[in-house]
Amino acid sequence: MRTLDPQSLPQHVDRLYRAAWALCGSREDAEDLVQETFARVLSRPRVLHGADDAYYLMRVLRNTFLTSRRTASRRPVTVAEVDDVVTPDPRPMGRPEQALEVQELYATIAELPENFRLALVAVDVLGLSYREASRALRVREATLTTRLFRARKQVVARLGAEPADGAPRERSRVGAVTREETGADGVLSSGSSQ
Amino acid sequence: VKEPRTHTESELVDYMRSIDVRAPQRLHDSIEQLVADRAAPRGRKSTGADAPARTGTLGRRLAAGMALAAAVAAVLVVAFNNGSHDALTVTQASVLTLRPATAAAPQEDRGSDGTELAAAVDGVRFPYWEDHFGWRSTGSRTDHVGGRTVRTVFYGNDRGQRIGYAIVAGVPAPRVGGGVVAWRNGTAYRLLSVGDLRVVTWLRHGRMCVVTGRGVSGATLLTLASWDDQGATPA
């Protein structure tokens, strides 16, 4: 056992941000989620049982994410506009094509069912081992493996899918809004996972 | 027409693991401020790692606001006063701390109770950090910029990181604005961002001190800078 060193936390910001982005599907929500996660972690001394901080941070990130979703679900639902979803990036990553790809990928992950999403984020985005991820998410390794397999399959299918009119899909988020508008899929709401 | 980027699960996994998107600078600044608040030393020589602090939503928002102010201030950074055209800026002082050493590393001052090196500017000594933090002095240099003498001592740790600690000679000390101010034992430590660099600047006995480290967090710099602030004077 050891106490979490607060000084070591800043080195995890980028990884947590990517994980939060994939969970939320929005960079702005991801920033809020990461800040809230670190604020929780730093609110009191933490005793860790493992050698790696990342699995513990993933656990807190998950709890914070689920809490924020529950809180958001009690608020009035506001349908998101396309302009709200595809926000211009004031500080692009330097490779616009990659930025678009990453945005599309994370938005696609954010559309997955919650359990699949968490499994994928923990292992493939955050880089935890199956064991660490199962501990962080409080599920059995076998369950995690199954969810991860299905999550990957769904993401590949969604990224490769084309809309009914045959036009290639350009951005997942636009697709998500279209489905919401037609009532065929989940609801995009402010403050939710979208 | 865009082709799908991934055709198989294996390609998807490879792609996801190759993504190296960096969090926005304002988020880094905000987290570092949270950590700095958490690590505020309660006594002299504390490493700060065991000093709990409450950080709630309000604190988070405040930190975010302060971080944003720091980001803005980084662009403004701040000339030493006197209004002369050749006045040294914090940016220039920071750059000096990144240059190579030109002289040997000063040794610990045995009479200082393990807190100071045998090197000083206008009587203001450089700190000895090796026993407490594992940062050992690795070299030094002296420059003359903007009519002032700037002496820098470099420190390194086992992870290969490097910090430069500069003391600017002369009083009155240049005045610095902007950034985020963190108070430690009555001294104002100003955290600035210069590009991707974190800079902490403050006054000791009226002399400007600047600590900079590439790849070293602002929280770490602040902890080191404020470790032994006996004799420091408010900015």
Side-chain angles (χ1 to χ4, degrees):
Chain A
M1 286 201 302
R2 65 187 176 88
T3 304
L4 177 69
D5 178 10
Q7 305 291 341
S8 70
L9 291 178
Q11 66 182 298
H12 300 293
V13 171
D14 291 330
R15 288 171 78 192
L16 261 285
Y17 173 70
R18 291 192 287 269
W21 185 359
L23 279 177
C24 301
S26 141
R27 281 167 288 182
E28 293 74 22
D29 289 346
E31 283 188 51
D32 287 346
L33 179 56
V34 171
Q35 283 198 31
E36 189 63 39
T37 298
F38 279 102
R40 278 192 185 200
V41 169
L42 290 166
S43 63
R44 58 189 170 88
R46 304 286 178 172
V47 177
L48 305 188
H49 297 277
D52 189 4
D53 300 342
Y55 109 87
Y56 178 75
L57 292 173
M58 178 64 209
R59 178 185 290 185
V60 181
L61 183 78
R62 165 192 173 271
N63 293 341
T64 309
F65 171 67
L66 295 178
T67 302
S68 65
R69 275 177 62 89
R70 278 197 295 271
T71 306
S73 69
R74 291 196 289 268
R75 295 192 197 116
V77 173
T78 306
V79 176
E81 303 294 334
V82 174
D83 288 345
D84 296 334
V85 177
V86 186
T87 310
D89 187 351
R91 184 175 169 274
M93 287 172 282
R95 286 174 291 175
E97 189 173 327
Q98 193 210 24
L100 186 62
E101 287 181 2
V102 170
Q103 182 168 308
E104 179 178 354
L105 172 65
Y106 285 170
T108 304
I109 294 171
E111 293 171 3
L112 294 173
E114 193 171 277
N115 288 336
F116 290 5
R117 193 187 325 173
L118 285 164
L120 193 73
V121 166
V123 174
D124 288 338
V125 178
L126 199 57
L128 299 183
S129 67
Y130 282 38
R131 185 162 180 268
E132 289 172 328
S134 61
R135 287 173 61 200
L137 302 179
R138 300 176 188 276
V139 296
R140 291 182 303 159
E141 271 191 58
T143 306
L144 177 89
T145 306
T146 304
R147 289 177 180 174
L148 189 61
F149 174 77
R150 292 179 178 168
R152 288 170 178 168
K153 217 169 182 55
Q154 287 193 18
V155 171
V156 169
R158 292 180 188 213
L159 286 175
E162 295 185 359
D165 61 4
R169 185 177 176 187
E170 291 191 352
R171 303 180 82 156
S172 313
R173 302 301 295 172
V174 177
V177 172
T178 302
R179 284 196 300 281
E180 189 278 326
E181 286 169 348
T182 59
D185 203 339
V187 175
L188 291 171
S189 60
S190 64
S192 75
S193 66
Q194 313 305 324
Chain B
V1 175
K2 294 174 64 183
E3 292 293 321
R5 258 75 56 191
T6 54
H7 299 274
T8 67
E9 287 86 359
S10 171
E11 288 176 2
L12 172 69
V13 171
D14 287 345
Y15 179 63
M16 283 191 288
R17 292 181 178 175
S18 72
I19 294 172
D20 58 354
V21 174
R22 196 169 183 275
Q25 190 55 48
R26 61 178 175 269
L27 181 59
H28 278 276
D29 293 340
S30 171
I31 300 303
E32 287 184 1
Q33 185 60 46
L34 278 175
V35 172
D37 290 345
R38 165 72 171 79
R42 298 199 164 177
R44 186 168 173 262
K45 296 184 182 179
S46 167
T47 62
D50 55 354
R54 292 186 180 278
T55 49
T57 303
L58 181 61
R60 185 166 58 86
R61 288 178 180 167
L62 186 62
M66 293 171 76
L68 185 61
V72 173
V75 181
L76 301 177
V77 176
V78 185
F80 288 153
N81 65 358
N82 304 331
S84 61
H85 293 296
D86 58 352
L88 184 64
T89 67
V90 171
T91 303
Q92 289 171 315
S94 305
V95 168
L96 295 178
T97 67
L98 301 175
R99 287 184 177 167
T102 57
Q107 300 301 305
E108 177 193 359
D109 180 359
R110 297 290 178 189
S112 70
D113 194 24
T115 60
E116 293 173 342
L117 296 175
V121 173
D122 293 350
V124 179
R125 298 224 173 200
F126 288 90
Y128 173 74
W129 287 333
E130 185 167 355
D131 288 349
H132 292 268
F133 299 105
W135 291 90
R136 61 191 172 281
S137 59
T138 58
S140 64
R141 65 179 292 132
T142 301
D143 298 274
H144 302 279
V145 183
R148 293 178 183 264
T149 299
V150 183
R151 184 164 187 193
T152 305
V153 170
F154 301 98
Y155 299 79
N157 66 7
D158 291 338
R159 289 190 291 174
Q161 293 176 308
R162 185 171 183 261
I163 284 176
Y165 187 127
I167 301 177
V168 182
V171 288
R175 200 166 50 199
V176 179
V180 174
V181 175
W183 288 88
R184 300 284 184 271
N185 294 338
T187 299
Y189 295 85
R190 197 171 291 274
L191 283 74
L192 302 162
S193 296
V194 179
D196 61 345
L197 282 179
R198 300 289 172 276
V199 180
V200 176
T201 179
W202 75 107
L203 296 183
R204 292 177 60 203
H205 294 287
R207 270 71 179 183
M208 171 68 66
C209 299
V210 180
V211 173
T212 307
R214 197 178 290 283
V216 181
S217 72
T220 298
L221 294 177
L222 181 60
T223 299
L224 290 170
S226 61
W227 170 59
D228 183 2
D229 52 7
Q230 198 171 57
T233 55

